[in-house]
Amino acid sequence: MLVEWLLLLSSLSNLSRYDCFLRGKRLSPDGPCYGYRPIGPDGKAQDFKWYTYNEVWEMVQDFASGLIHQNLVPEKDGYRIIGVYGKNSVDWVLTEQSCNAYGMTLCPIYDTLGADSVEFILQQTEMKTCVCAPEETLKLLALGDKTPDLKMIIHMGDIDPKTREIAKQHNIEMMTTKELMAIGHDHRVVNTPPHAEDICTICYTSGTTGMPKGVLISHRNFISAVSGCLYTGICPVVGDCYLSYLPLAHVLERIMNLAMLIGGARIGFYQGSTRTILDDIRALRPTVFTSVPRLLNKIYDALTEKISQQYAIVRFLFNRGLTVKQAQMEA
């Protein structure tokens, strides 16, 4: 396994993110790739539903072909830019993989950005189309006529008639991701893979010091970053599983997703709230989990409080088990 990874790393420099997905598809064509938790009739999240690598590839071709057939991502100044605005989801990564396979440039927008920053990004990139979650669709429409270049919103989920009417008032068309993919399915376009030096994404900073700054990141930049990730010892294989909850608008999460895909592993998306993250962890049982201190501190505080309220024997068994586990990990 180590030799295989070293050979892979030595050949990555001239590859694109699209090539990395193809490797995962080759390793696990009918294995799970992306998963999410449907909400049941009782309002509770059910077990993860998975799309295989082959199924994802078919969906990507439909998605991208729909964009191209409808001319929703026209070229301007050498770039074909499309935005994506929302939390981690299957639709988010379908947009990303469509860009990777068809040579488009993805411009993610943080779902926590203020209206001024979002307006600035849309004006600077002059994007015609943005793929949006329901909450973010309303944020874009609230900008009114301040983003004249935006002509189409691809909506993740069903569209409320009132929302569609507001969009018409601002000369913005709307369609769902399902509608777009249906069009693409009937009008398939052969993909045009990008080169390593092509711009993969425009990553805007959080805007803590003035307006956000757009950083041009090539496929080679991403591959270099993921190579560093693999060198640290994170070498995913087909049986691995990853819980994606950190914002995909940030390159760290996209690098981790890419590392999983190279190895043919599977990626499950959280429900959209850190309040239910432990429930998602129990349902998915990830073998790799990237997090931040703030969430880990919350989990630690919640567990220690719960244990402190138990009987003495329960506290003893918990602490004993934790001590043994730590000793085994150190060994």
Side-chain angles (χ1 to χ4, degrees):
M1 180 60 67
L2 177 59
V3 173
E4 181 182 350
W5 277 109
L6 289 174
L7 289 174
L8 171 64
L9 289 172
S10 67
S11 65
L12 280 177
S13 61
N14 292 316
L15 300 183
S16 68
R17 290 176 58 98
Y18 168 68
D19 296 310
C20 295
F21 173 79
L22 287 186
R23 184 179 189 273
K25 178 174 170 291
R26 186 176 70 252
L27 292 175
S28 183
D30 296 314
C33 179
Y34 291 128
Y36 72 100
R37 301 186 70 185
I39 303 300
D42 57 356
K44 295 182 179 179
Q46 300 177 336
D47 290 336
F48 274 87
K49 176 181 177 180
W50 295 96
Y51 296 106
T52 68
Y53 275 83
N54 279 335
E55 288 173 335
V56 168
W57 175 232
E58 293 298 317
M59 295 163 70
V60 165
Q61 293 178 87
D62 288 346
F63 197 101
S65 296
L67 291 174
I68 294 171
H69 179 75
Q70 298 295 101
N71 193 30
L72 297 180
V73 193
E75 183 175 336
K76 189 170 185 178
D77 299 327
Y79 297 98
R80 292 190 295 157
I81 300 173
I82 181 173
V84 59
Y85 191 15
K87 295 181 179 179
N88 304 11
S89 67
V90 173
D91 286 336
W92 205 110
V93 291
L94 282 180
T95 308
E96 177 187 38
Q97 294 297 345
S98 297
C99 290
N100 294 342
Y102 284 77
M104 295 178 281
T105 298
L106 186 67
C107 180
I109 304 174
Y110 283 94
D111 61 294
T112 55
L113 285 179
D116 291 342
S117 296
V118 176
E119 176 188 337
F120 175 79
I121 293 172
L122 266 65
Q123 288 179 349
Q124 189 172 68
T125 59
E126 299 179 342
M127 68 176 67
K128 178 181 178 179
T129 302
C130 189
V131 181
C132 294
E135 299 82 359
E136 281 62 49
T137 293
L138 297 177
K139 294 177 185 177
L140 286 190
L141 295 178
L143 294 175
D145 301 322
K146 297 179 181 179
T147 55
D149 295 295
L150 184 66
K151 299 300 181 183
M152 172 64 75
I153 291 177
I154 308 298
H155 196 70
M156 302 179 188
D158 297 329
I159 303 174
D160 183 90
K162 292 182 179 179
T163 303
R164 196 185 291 273
E165 185 60 34
I166 296 173
K168 281 185 178 180
Q169 295 173 8
H170 297 295
N171 297 316
I172 296 176
E173 297 182 58
M174 294 187 69
M175 71 170 63
T176 66
T177 53
K178 289 183 179 179
E179 291 170 342
L180 176 71
M181 291 168 67
I183 293 173
H185 187 75
D186 294 334
H187 301 86
R188 277 289 179 90
V189 178
V190 178
N191 71 305
T192 52
H195 300 291
E197 63 273 13
D198 290 343
I199 299 301
C200 171
T201 192
I202 303 176
C203 181
Y204 276 87
T205 59
S206 58
T208 52
T209 54
M211 284 298 177
K213 285 80 175 174
V215 181
L216 302 180
I217 303 177
S218 69
H219 284 268
R220 178 168 286 139
N221 292 149
F222 261 113
I223 297 303
S224 176
V226 81
S227 296
C229 174
L230 297 175
Y231 267 119
T232 65
I234 299 177
C235 300
V237 294
V238 172
D240 277 320
C241 181
Y242 180 76
L243 178 65
S244 176
Y245 95 92
L246 292 177
L248 276 166
H250 193 289
V251 291
L252 170 63
E253 185 65 11
R254 293 176 70 186
I255 289 169
M256 290 304 301
N257 274 238
L258 185 58
M260 296 297 124
L261 295 176
I262 289 176
R266 55 195 168 113
I267 300 170
F269 298 104
Y270 79 135
Q271 297 176 56
S273 172
T274 55
R275 295 180 180 179
T276 56
I277 198 77
L278 285 179
D279 182 51
D280 293 331
I281 291 174
R282 281 191 291 266
L284 188 63
R285 301 183 67 82
T287 58
V288 181
F289 180 61
T290 305
S291 191
V292 290
R294 184 175 65 174
L295 178 68
L296 297 178
N297 286 336
K298 285 184 178 180
I299 294 175
Y300 178 83
D301 291 341
L303 288 174
T304 52
E305 181 181 0
K306 185 174 182 179
I307 292 300
S308 67
Q309 298 171 356
Q310 303 299 316
Y311 292 110
I313 184 62
V314 175
R315 296 199 302 271
F316 169 78
L317 291 174
F318 176 84
N319 290 325
R320 176 60 180 166
L322 185 61
T323 300
V324 172
K325 181 68 173 180
Q326 288 176 323
Q328 289 176 339
M329 291 177 66
E330 291 172 359

